[in-house]
Amino acid sequence: MEIKNTEEVKSESLSFVEEIIKNDLAEGKNGGKIQTRFPPEPNGYLHIGHAKAICMDFGMAEKYGGVCNLRFDDTNPAKEDVEYVDAIMEDIKWLGFKWGNVYYASDYFQQLYDFAIELIKEGKAYIDEQTSEQIAEQKGTPTVPGVASPFRDRPVDENLELFQKMQAGDVEEGSMVLRAKIDMANPNMHFRDPIIYRVKKIPHHRTGSKWNVYPNYDFAHGQSDFFEGVTHSLCTLEFVPHRPLYDLFVDWLKTSRGETENIEDNRPRQTEFNKLNLSYTLMSKRNLLILTQEGVVSGWDDPRMPTICGMRRRGYSPESLRNFVKMIGYTKYDALNEYAMLESAVREDLNKRATRLSAVLNPVKLIITNYPEGQVETLDATDNPEDENSKHHTIEFSRELWIERDDFMEDAPKKFFRLSIDREVRLKNAYIIKCTGIKKDADGNIEEIYCEYDPLTKSGMPEANRKVKGTIHWLSTQHCIPVEVRNYERLWQVENPRDEIKKYSDEHEGIRGIEAMRPFLNPDSLVVNTNAYIEKYGAEFKPLDYIQFQRIGYYTPDKDSTKEHLIFNRTVGLKDSWAKASK
């Protein structure tokens, strides 16, 4: 692939990460090329936090003429599954990115194992038979040096023999680990003889039962980057203290191979940026898995989930997520981003691409008493008035209509500009009407609204410019389709559910899992409405199509929708109603 000259990249405000990449390219490091990777662990579905990393990893490679590979960090067979591999690939493609190659950490198991053997031979690694609790205790604290393991000076030949027994399956899980021999007094706790291999007698989804020892993340990650030729390892801020260890292991690997020339100019470089933290959202895979297992949500792709597949099913566009990531930017400090900002990005994008449909979600019948019985008019409607090249469709108008119950008020105040007795409104794209009366049932609920129309006020006619203060939408009762509407709201009632759950757990004798979550879940996060109607044109749309129910909000057909039973998910309202309701 031809590498772009950095001068060709248009001038704009760059993130600090991009500035680093641009300077490295200008200085000719790594041969003046860029190669990145996106390295998810296939133990769950990607969430919007991963979308930020995807935009950085793939975006920088794309912008500067490099390549971004997809590498699955499959070093923990107990939690990984092919289902997650397939889902991750689908999410990346949906976001609009393409990888150069697909790799797995398991591709390098033999090379990593051989490297571990070399470290043992060089006296840089040893087998420790302490328990995990003993190892943790003797590591000390950031201000108190650790205590050397009693096995630290074990002879090389004995370490080699024991490591080979670990791999042969002759050692029980937890009874032995391989540790790197670095510095038990180092203020960076990651340098205090970190564990680099442990025994896991679990079949791997790619390698089967070939391996009984698996490398830890810190040992596998940097070496995998080196094997692949990665130039820039871009990750989040929690890996800042890991970076010195990342660099040390790469240096050891290069030295063991005799590749010491220009070691600083030819190496993968780790750079960290802030995570995407979102208010009213819980994003850890562990907690999301609990929500799915406990039936709080219908699955990983439930539209209330912060997963990419959940947001896709809810009707978010990939462009809106990429725009949101660009809005919040990349910094060196963590912050809590407002959920309202995400919804604003979604609205702004969908306004440009969503087809406008008429829908009535809380219907009451309106009868135009002076409109000829049996007459039906076909009116023109624009799919999207924001697009000058938009298609048009037709909608039927008749004597009996559905309107929104909230668009009528019997005793309306002066500032109520919708329909009321003896007041006029315009029916969108149709006529001006005036309310003449109502009919109520035995409980006092309005059953029917009676109006008269002015036939000279049809939209597009000379008299149509007569001013009225309100416009409402409608549907012909005989020319619309009944639908199910799923109105989604935020799953959590509190701004920072992670902190609130922890606090609640600490205050209630260690209550964990779903029981610690329940007090903070929003009971109205899903409201199902089976008494709703849309115009017939709505039957032509399929899941992931973008629709605006006029004057109501943005919606998309759900994957459960059929021709016989149409289901629409609310993506987002036309305005931020949550902030007002939560005050």
Side-chain angles (χ1 to χ4, degrees):
M1 179 180 291
E2 181 181 356
I3 306 300
K4 294 180 182 178
N5 188 308
T6 55
E7 296 301 321
E8 296 176 9
V9 178
K10 65 181 182 179
S11 177
E12 58 181 86
S13 177
L14 306 181
S15 70
F16 80 96
V17 179
E18 186 169 353
E19 288 284 5
I20 290 172
I21 292 172
K22 191 175 179 181
N23 290 337
D24 287 346
L25 293 174
E27 293 173 10
K29 293 179 180 177
N30 296 101
K33 69 175 184 178
I34 177 173
Q35 181 172 314
T36 61
R37 82 290 170 271
F38 177 61
E41 183 178 0
N43 64 347
Y45 285 68
L46 299 182
H47 54 63
I48 188 172
H50 295 108
K52 182 175 184 179
I54 289 170
C55 289
M56 173 59 77
D57 292 329
F58 286 90
M60 288 298 93
E62 182 180 283
K63 184 172 182 179
Y64 288 94
V67 62
C68 179
N69 293 322
L70 172 60
R71 182 175 76 235
F72 291 100
D73 176 33
D74 57 344
T75 58
N76 188 356
K79 297 181 179 180
E80 295 156 4
D81 196 281
V82 175
E83 171 194 352
Y84 301 132
V85 170
D86 295 340
I88 288 168
M89 288 181 165
E90 181 181 1
D91 287 345
I92 294 171
K93 288 188 287 188
W94 178 75
L95 281 171
F97 296 106
K98 297 180 180 179
W99 50 82
N101 303 281
V102 176
Y103 297 119
Y104 295 80
S106 54
D107 293 337
Y108 310 115
F109 279 175
Q110 186 65 55
Q111 290 166 277
L112 291 166
Y113 182 80
D114 293 342
F115 179 40
I117 295 288
E118 286 299 315
L119 293 184
I120 294 173
K121 290 179 179 179
E122 294 170 7
K124 294 179 178 177
Y126 63 94
I127 300 296
D128 196 333
E129 296 182 56
Q130 296 182 101
T131 65
S132 58
E133 291 79 12
Q134 288 173 322
I135 291 175
E137 183 178 355
Q138 56 92 207
K139 274 196 170 187
T141 70
T143 57
V144 177
V147 177
S149 165
F151 303 99
R152 198 170 195 264
D153 295 321
R154 180 173 247 157
V156 168
D157 288 345
E158 189 176 333
N159 284 320
L160 285 173
E161 181 182 357
L162 289 174
F163 190 49
Q164 289 164 354
K165 284 185 176 180
M166 288 169 63
Q167 163 53 15
D170 298 333
V171 172
E172 294 303 312
E173 290 188 20
S175 62
M176 292 183 187
V177 294
L178 180 66
R179 296 176 69 179
K181 187 189 291 186
I182 306 178
D183 181 3
M184 290 301 294
N186 197 295
N188 186 333
M189 298 292 288
H190 295 285
F191 270 60
R192 296 187 185 181
D193 291 10
I195 296 171
I196 57 177
Y197 264 93
R198 75 280 196 207
V199 175
K200 289 279 186 182
K201 295 184 178 181
I202 299 173
H204 189 278
H205 70 98
R206 294 187 73 239
T207 61
S209 300
K210 179 179 179 180
W211 295 98
N212 290 301
V213 292
Y214 290 91
N216 278 13
Y217 178 87
D218 278 331
F219 188 70
H221 191 61
Q223 281 65 266
S224 298
D225 284 346
F226 176 79
F227 294 143
E228 287 174 19
V230 169
T231 63
H232 293 83
S233 172
L234 309 176
C235 53
T236 45
L237 290 174
E238 70 264 32
F239 291 100
V240 169
H242 295 252
R243 191 200 314 154
L245 187 60
Y246 176 101
D247 290 339
L248 177 66
F249 282 152
V250 170
D251 288 347
W252 280 4
L253 179 60
K254 289 168 72 71
T255 301
S256 72
R257 294 183 165 208
E259 301 177 14
T260 57
E261 186 176 353
N262 298 325
I263 194 168
E264 286 304 316
D265 286 343
N266 294 280
R267 65 177 309 125
R269 287 172 170 75
Q270 179 174 304
T271 302
E272 309 86 8
F273 54 84
N274 60 324
K275 272 187 172 182
L276 194 164
N277 295 310
L278 199 59
S279 64
Y280 297 97
T281 306
L282 195 63
M283 285 196 284
S284 77
K285 290 180 184 177
R286 178 179 61 84
N287 288 319
L288 297 181
L289 180 60
I290 291 173
L291 293 174
T292 62
Q293 291 176 333
E294 295 293 334
V296 174
V297 295
S298 61
W300 287 95
D301 69 344
D302 187 293
R304 293 165 291 181
M305 291 279 270
T307 52
I308 294 176
C309 60
M311 292 182 170
R312 177 168 63 242
R313 183 177 176 184
R314 185 162 177 167
Y316 287 18
S317 66
E319 293 84 0
S320 66
L321 295 189
R322 296 202 305 267
N323 290 341
F324 173 61
V325 168
K326 188 174 181 180
M327 286 167 62
I328 61 177
Y330 297 85
T331 68
K332 296 182 181 181
Y333 56 89
D334 281 323
L336 189 64
N337 298 288
E338 291 293 332
Y339 197 95
M341 186 184 296
L342 169 61
E343 292 181 324
S344 178
V346 173
R347 285 189 198 94
E348 182 177 355
D349 182 74
L350 294 185
N351 184 53
K352 302 171 186 175
R353 67 179 72 250
T355 298
R356 274 51 168 177
L357 291 180
S358 290
V360 177
L361 308 189
N362 186 15
V364 62
K365 184 175 287 188
L366 182 147
I367 300 174
I368 306 174
T369 56
N370 64 333
Y371 193 87
E373 291 192 42
Q375 180 171 306
V376 178
E377 293 184 64
T378 300
L379 305 180
D380 179 73
T382 304
D383 278 16
N384 189 332
E386 299 294 322
D387 180 3
E388 60 182 17
N389 298 315
S390 174
K391 296 190 302 180
H392 288 237
H393 67 276
T394 57
I395 182 171
E396 291 84 359
F397 182 86
S398 66
R399 186 173 189 267
E400 295 190 1
L401 309 174
W402 295 122
I403 66 168
E404 290 289 347
R405 192 171 291 273
D406 288 344
D407 280 339
F408 178 82
M409 186 177 292
E410 184 177 1
D411 298 311
K414 289 184 178 180
K415 292 187 177 180
F416 183 78
F417 298 132
R418 285 165 283 172
L419 190 60
S420 185
I421 294 175
D422 291 330
R423 292 193 190 179
E424 290 185 327
V425 296
R426 173 173 289 283
L427 297 176
K428 189 172 178 62
N429 296 327
Y431 300 94
I432 292 175
I433 60 171
K434 183 176 182 179
C435 179
T436 57
I438 57 175
K439 176 186 176 183
K440 296 182 179 181
D441 63 17
D443 296 322
N445 300 310
I446 297 174
E447 283 187 326
E448 294 177 348
I449 301 170
Y450 303 110
C451 294
E452 293 182 350
Y453 86 116
D454 183 343
L456 299 179
T457 59
K458 184 177 179 180
S459 294
M461 296 178 65
E463 293 293 324
N465 293 327
R466 178 155 66 83
K467 300 294 184 182
V468 290
K469 291 185 177 180
T471 299
I472 63 174
H473 64 283
W474 51 271
L475 286 171
S476 171
T477 59
Q478 299 301 311
H479 304 88
C480 60
I481 306 171
V483 296
E484 176 181 318
V485 173
R486 298 174 180 174
N487 287 317
Y488 290 98
E489 276 292 359
R490 301 172 194 181
L491 186 60
W492 300 94
Q493 300 183 89
V494 291
E495 185 176 48
N496 196 332
R498 182 189 63 181
D499 290 355
E500 294 293 341
I501 291 168
K502 183 181 184 305
K503 180 181 176 182
Y504 183 85
S505 178
D506 292 342
E507 292 175 350
H508 292 78
E509 300 180 354
I511 289 177
R512 296 287 187 268
I514 190 62
E515 296 309 318
M517 297 179 181
R518 289 195 193 280
F520 310 106
L521 289 166
N522 176 14
D524 298 318
S525 62
L526 170 59
V527 177
V528 178
N529 178 3
T530 57
N531 183 32
Y533 299 92
I534 62 167
E535 56 180 287
K536 291 190 298 184
Y537 186 44
E540 298 182 18
F541 293 85
K542 60 186 183 301
L544 307 188
D545 284 342
Y546 306 115
I547 297 168
Q548 183 195 106
F549 288 172
Q550 296 188 88
R551 301 179 63 237
I552 299 173
Y554 294 97
Y555 287 76
T556 189
D558 187 72
K559 69 175 186 179
D560 294 338
S561 189
T562 65
K563 289 183 178 180
E564 295 75 27
H565 183 69
L566 298 178
I567 302 171
F568 289 84
N569 297 330
R570 181 167 66 186
T571 306
V572 66
L574 294 181
K575 296 180 180 179
D576 184 4
S577 58
W578 178 273
K580 182 178 179 181
S582 60
K583 287 183 179 179

